[in-house]
Amino acid sequence: MSKHAAAADASASKRSKELLSDAEQQQLQESLQGVMEEEEALQKQFEKEYASLLAKYEKKREPLYEKRHSLLQKVDKVFWPVLFKSHFEEEMDETDQQLFDALRRYHCRQDFENEVTHHEFTFDKNPHLKSKKVTVVVKEVEEDSENPLQIEIQGAEWHQGPSRFFSILADPESHLHMRETLLDSIWGDPVGTFQAVMAGSDDDDDDGDEGMLWGQDDDDDDDDDEEDVDPAAMLAALQAMQAEKDKKKKKDKKKAGAATAAEEPEPEAAATERDQNGHSAAPEEASHKESKKEKKKKKKEQKEEPQEQQPEQKSEKKDKKQKKRKASDDTPDESNAAAATAAATAATATATAASGV
């Protein structure tokens, strides 16, 4: 305590003694203490009755929660993943991002009378989580205790260690920072929160279609944020998003299947081994199939050969005819030459005889 504070207390005590006697001061303190105790008792009674009232109306809300869930089932592949991944990006690693793509339902059950909250996460089958459902149970204890929250994760069976998101959620100090978002935004007003997320996404893309997504005109951008959401337009938009996402998944799956088929080895029946001489040593079944194939191939070749040889045979016959024609054309010339030679020989002999005479 500082010197100034000590001096002020001493001065106040001195003045009170001047106004009241010690007995009167004691009686005043006891009376004030009694009023404070009554006030605390009334506060506890209020809290108890308030918790009972909350529990009463929470029970009445359950059918509405189920109705909301049945409506969101049409778009649950988009709705819950978008909400959690957009609000807890810092608490998630890449594995969590993939895990929450499989989130299909989030349900919060609050027991106000016992101060216990159950956060229930339901997932589709995925490579990170063996179990389908994970429940985070949060028990509130006295505020003056070292840990005001007792947190337990139930039903989680991991393939490769616990999720980073759920590890952070199970930490009391971290949970206090995440609780408001979970209870007030994601659970308390999921549709309005989703609308705000999508509106922010549209602003980032600068596509100018924010209002049209929810069935509103672009001129409404200057209005207050507390605009009514058109449920039909919202569901239509979400269904379109989900259909696009399913289409992309099917396309990726088809590509993955094609890649796997390309990498698969040939069937054993078609596989052959080479011996040292380079001959194929195939199983009996494979060789039998190959012999059948060879026979079919030979028959096919034999059928095709006459068709291929016909033009060649025609050309050969044509060449032979041309040679014969040429030979016949050359024959008269040779006989004429022989006759000329004989005539010349006879003329020479006649000339010789005449000169002798």
Side-chain angles (χ1 to χ4, degrees), residues 82-330:
V82 166
L83 282 181
F84 275 88
K85 291 168 68 175
S86 61
H87 282 78
F88 298 109
E89 184 178 2
E90 294 182 359
E91 288 78 13
M92 293 185 181
D93 56 15
E94 185 176 352
T95 299
D96 289 312
Q97 294 280 339
Q98 296 172 1
L99 172 64
F100 275 83
D101 279 337
L103 180 65
R104 294 297 169 262
R105 181 175 183 178
Y106 167 69
H107 195 96
C108 180
R109 303 185 189 277
Q110 294 178 276
D111 183 352
F112 293 100
E113 294 178 310
N114 297 309
E115 297 184 316
V116 179
T117 303
H118 293 74
H119 300 275
E120 300 174 355
F121 299 82
T122 305
F123 296 89
D124 272 349
K125 186 177 180 181
N126 62 85
H128 307 293
L129 184 65
K130 295 180 182 179
S131 54
K132 185 178 180 181
K133 190 175 181 179
V134 178
T135 303
V136 180
V137 182
V138 183
K139 169 69 176 176
E140 296 187 25
V141 294
E142 296 180 2
E143 295 181 357
D144 297 336
S145 62
E146 185 177 350
N147 293 321
L149 299 178
Q150 293 178 352
I151 304 175
E152 180 185 2
I153 296 180
Q154 299 177 350
E157 297 180 24
W158 308 103
H159 283 290
Q160 298 178 349
S163 156
R164 182 175 185 270
F165 171 82
F166 283 102
S167 298
I168 295 175
L169 188 62
D171 177 70
E173 185 176 353
S174 301
H175 188 92
L176 287 173
H177 296 290
M178 301 170 69
R179 180 169 62 176
E180 183 179 353
T181 302
L182 279 171
L183 296 181
D184 296 342
S185 300
I186 293 181
W187 179 246
D189 185 19
V191 175
T193 304
F194 185 87
Q195 179 192 17
V197 171
M198 298 308 299
S201 175
D202 287 343
D203 287 342
D204 292 339
D205 295 339
D206 290 331
D207 56 11
D209 294 333
E210 173 189 343
M212 298 305 293
L213 178 63
W214 303 104
Q216 302 168 352
D217 295 333
D218 293 340
D219 297 337
D220 296 339
D221 293 343
D222 297 331
D223 295 342
D224 296 334
D225 294 336
E226 298 179 358
E227 299 240 356
D228 293 336
V229 179
D230 183 351
M234 185 200 73
L235 289 176
L238 288 173
Q239 285 176 332
M241 291 172 63
Q242 184 164 319
E244 185 66 24
K245 189 173 182 180
D246 291 342
K247 185 178 179 182
K248 187 176 183 299
K249 279 189 176 181
K250 286 182 181 179
K251 190 175 181 181
D252 294 341
K253 189 176 180 180
K254 189 175 181 181
K255 285 182 179 179
T260 304
E263 293 175 359
E264 286 182 356
E266 294 181 359
E268 293 182 1
T272 58
E273 296 178 357
R274 293 285 177 180
D275 58 13
Q276 294 178 353
N277 297 326
H279 300 291
S280 62
E284 293 182 1
E285 185 179 354
S287 61
H288 181 65
K289 288 182 178 180
E290 287 180 0
S291 62
K292 282 185 176 181
K293 289 182 179 179
E294 289 178 359
K295 287 180 180 179
K296 289 181 180 180
K297 187 176 180 181
K298 286 181 180 179
K299 286 181 180 180
K300 189 176 181 181
E301 289 176 351
Q302 289 174 357
K303 290 179 180 180
E304 292 176 351
E305 278 179 2
Q307 296 177 356
E308 293 176 354
Q309 290 177 358
Q310 283 180 2
E312 295 179 359
Q313 291 175 354
K314 288 181 179 180
S315 61
E316 288 178 0
K317 289 179 180 180
K318 189 175 182 180
D319 292 340
K320 286 181 180 180
K321 286 181 180 181
Q322 289 177 351
K323 287 180 180 179
K324 285 182 180 181
R325 287 177 183 175
K326 187 176 181 181
S328 61
D329 291 340
D330 293 341

Side-chain angles (χ1 to χ4, degrees), residues 338-354:
T341 304
T345 304
T348 304
T350 303
T352 303

